[in-house]
Amino acid sequence: MMKNFFTLVFFAAMLISCKCQKTDSVSKLDGNWELNYITGPRITFDGLYPNKKPTINFNTKENQVSGNNSCNSFTGKLVLDGNKIDFTQPMAVTKMMCMDGQGEQVFMSTLQKITSYDITDDGKTLNFISGDIAMMRFTKK
């Protein structure tokens, strides 16, 4: 009987600790991040974003994502499952005329391809990943 009790306590402790670690990982996502790398285009990063770098903001308590794609603001529902993230849901985007070229379009189309994320450097760097390829990198602001 005592053995069963200790086994039950052990598994309960494991379950609680796993849940806390997952919550901690998700909570590191909260806050504002600034883009410093994007893969794909043949234009340099500074050429894509000469005036303003894109930002993204996460509010995991409200399941909201928002930001600025270097010209227009966007907001939408945050869809997370562990380290999996989905940006394919429709987002509201402002429609200001942008003269900076194709940076805005590159940012939004790359965001749609992201399937997971990873936070490194003690919570200072956010990597967006498609499959197993790092597509975007952000710095915590």
Side-chain angles (χ1 to χ4, degrees), residues 6-140:
F6 284 120
T7 303
L8 180 63
V9 168
F10 173 76
F11 283 118
M14 290 294 290
L15 182 62
I16 290 170
S17 69
C18 290
K19 187 174 185 177
C20 291
Q21 287 175 346
K22 182 178 177 184
T23 303
D24 185 47
S25 171
V26 169
S27 70
K28 287 182 182 180
L29 195 57
D30 275 323
N32 200 35
W33 301 84
E34 183 178 74
L35 185 71
N36 62 31
Y37 168 80
I38 191 164
T39 190
R42 292 186 174 196
I43 301 171
T44 66
F45 184 81
D46 290 334
L48 280 173
Y49 309 109
N51 300 317
K52 185 177 182 183
K53 294 179 184 176
T55 60
I56 194 163
N57 185 54
F58 295 98
N59 182 336
T60 58
K61 288 182 175 77
E62 301 290 326
N63 288 325
Q64 287 291 119
V65 60
S66 60
N68 186 288
N69 58 26
S70 77
C71 178
N72 284 291
S73 297
F74 62 89
T75 187
K77 182 180 177 190
L78 177 60
V79 181
L80 291 174
D81 183 12
N83 75 328
K84 304 290 183 208
I85 193 164
D86 180 8
F87 291 108
T88 60
Q89 304 297 315
M91 287 195 200
V93 182
T94 59
K95 299 284 185 188
M96 294 185 348
M97 190 170 109
C98 306
M99 301 305 260
D100 290 342
Q102 56 185 228
E104 174 184 25
Q105 182 181 5
V106 169
F107 180 82
M108 295 306 285
S109 64
T110 305
L111 204 57
Q112 294 264 316
K113 298 173 186 171
I114 301 305
T115 57
S116 63
Y117 73 93
D118 183 34
I119 298 174
T120 59
D121 298 331
D122 294 324
K124 297 175 189 163
T125 302
L126 169 63
N127 298 293
F128 279 169
I129 302 159
S130 177
D132 59 354
I133 299 169
M135 303 284 284
M136 303 168 97
R137 184 178 58 235
F138 297 80
T139 304
K140 185 81 171 203

